[in-house]
Amino acid sequence: MYTKIAALAGALAIVDQAAAFNVHRGHRHQKKDGVVVWETLVKTVYVTDSPAAQPSKPPSNIDVALDVVAIPTLPAVVDAPVQKAPSSPAAASPAKGGSSSGGSSQGSSKDSSKGSSAGSSASSGGPGFSGKRGLAYNDPLLANLFGAACKNCGWAYSWGKYPGSLDSKYSFVPMLWGLKEVSNWDSAATSAIANGAKALFSFNEPDNRGQADMTPSVAADAHVQYMNKYADKALIGAPAVSNSNLAGEGLDWLKNWVKQCEAKGCKYHFCNVHWYSPASAIDSLFDHIKQAHQICGGKPVWLTEFAPIDASPSQIASFLEQAIPKLESIDYLHAYSYFMVSTDADRLLSSSSSLSTIGQTYASL
């Protein structure tokens, strides 16, 4: 005979199953390349002990509340890797016997260097180089070797303050790499401008902990201190940023820097970006340049480091054949330089006396 105690036991068994189901339902964070995905884990507990007698339905005076467990639909896992650039060379030390670059006087710019208002108009004149294409180098002798084969290469930089023995036909652009390199910056910048330098670069990837590593606020203060004074003598670049898609890096860092500069009065004529991604993501290169142009209120953009990653030399050469004509055609892109003039793998030289397949493509287009 079914008793009230048996009914309660049966009801509790059912409730225990529901309760156990709820207790073991949880969430786990899975972080994959910057994308957080929620997974729902369900553990079902089976109760094997049953009451001695089970009625066809429980008595009406027993109220059994069952939790209804809704299992959410899992979102698709989006694999969006963050592209990390290879480490840029540290600021180059001055070479013995090196001279400042030659070149004509600074190109004019319609963009006033007063402040950094997002509404500032872009410079239409550009730096006035003989060509947009540039040489990013550490060894000036290798730069001269490569440059002899590159008719459209008109400027160069070394991530440092001095050109070394770079041929004076290239307009050298000094860089204040980071706060550790401020010593002798004023004398180097003044000397470069006196010798015809048309532009000066601010900090190298302050958005990257492995490079200049500065907050937008600190970088804005330092830019005002070390760069503003030359804004009426040469074109001043904003700090160069990566194409990282992590919060606080890449263009996100640049947005914050521009905002800080609106209040602090940074003077700059163009924005400076880097790009490293698979060759198949070539469209993202042009999106990156366009977004920087917009973030900087319509100012020109310089692309001072770029290279495909995880690609063969022939794939990189094919990439350059597609990319360079487009880079040449973008009117607000005033300069660009491939990473880099060296004999390392996937660079512009195969030895200290010959160009690589990649270098031949970059030089000949």
Side-chain angles (χ1 to χ4, degrees), residues 4 22 58 60 111 113 122 134 173 181 191 240 245 252 255 265 296 328:
K4 186 174 182 180
N22 279 335
S60 59
D111 177 24
S113 61
V173 181
E181 300 294 329
S191 176
N245 57 13
D252 187 44
K255 287 179 184 177
C296 293
E328 290 287 344

Side-chain angles (χ1 to χ4, degrees), residues 11-92:
L12 289 173
I14 297 173
V15 172
D16 283 345
Q17 292 182 53
F21 193 75
N22 279 335
V23 167
H24 291 281
R25 181 170 60 89
H27 292 88
R28 178 180 65 189
H29 284 89
Q30 181 183 11
K31 188 172 183 181
K32 184 175 183 180
D33 293 322
V35 178
V36 177
V37 178
W38 287 89
E39 290 186 354
T40 301
L41 305 181
V42 178
K43 181 177 180 180
T44 304
V45 177
Y46 294 94
V47 180
T48 57
D49 292 336
S50 58
Q54 290 290 349
S56 58
K57 59 181 179 179
S60 59
N61 62 339
I62 297 179
D63 185 13
V64 179
L66 295 178
D67 286 340
V68 178
V69 180
I71 302 177
T73 301
L74 293 178
V77 176
V78 180
D79 190 4
V82 177
Q83 304 302 337
K84 298 300 289 184
S87 297
S88 301

Side-chain angles (χ1 to χ4, degrees), residues 140-164:
L141 297 180
L142 294 182
N144 293 338
L145 169 71
F146 180 83
C150 184
K151 295 180 180 179
N152 292 319
C153 291
W155 65 279
Y157 84 110
S158 65
W159 290 273
K161 300 187 281 280
Y162 305 96

Side-chain angles (χ1 to χ4, degrees), residues 51 72 74 80 136 145 175 178 180 196 242 248 315-316 320 337 350 358:
L74 293 178
L145 169 71
M175 170 180 271
K180 295 180 180 179
S242 70
Q315 289 173 326
I316 295 174
L320 290 175
S337 56
S350 59
I358 299 167

Side-chain angles (χ1 to χ4, degrees), residues 249-298:
E249 297 183 6
L251 296 181
D252 187 44
W253 187 98
L254 182 61
K255 287 179 184 177
N256 291 326
W257 183 82
V258 168
K259 184 176 181 180
Q260 290 287 329
C261 282
E262 288 174 351
K264 298 180 179 182
C266 308
K267 297 180 180 181
Y268 63 106
H269 301 89
F270 61 91
C271 280
N272 193 339
V273 298
H274 297 166
W275 180 91
Y276 296 92
S277 286
S280 60
I282 186 171
D283 288 343
S284 72
L285 168 61
F286 305 108
D287 289 341
H288 187 56
I289 295 169
K290 182 177 181 180
Q291 289 178 52
H293 176 58
Q294 294 169 341
I295 290 169
C296 293

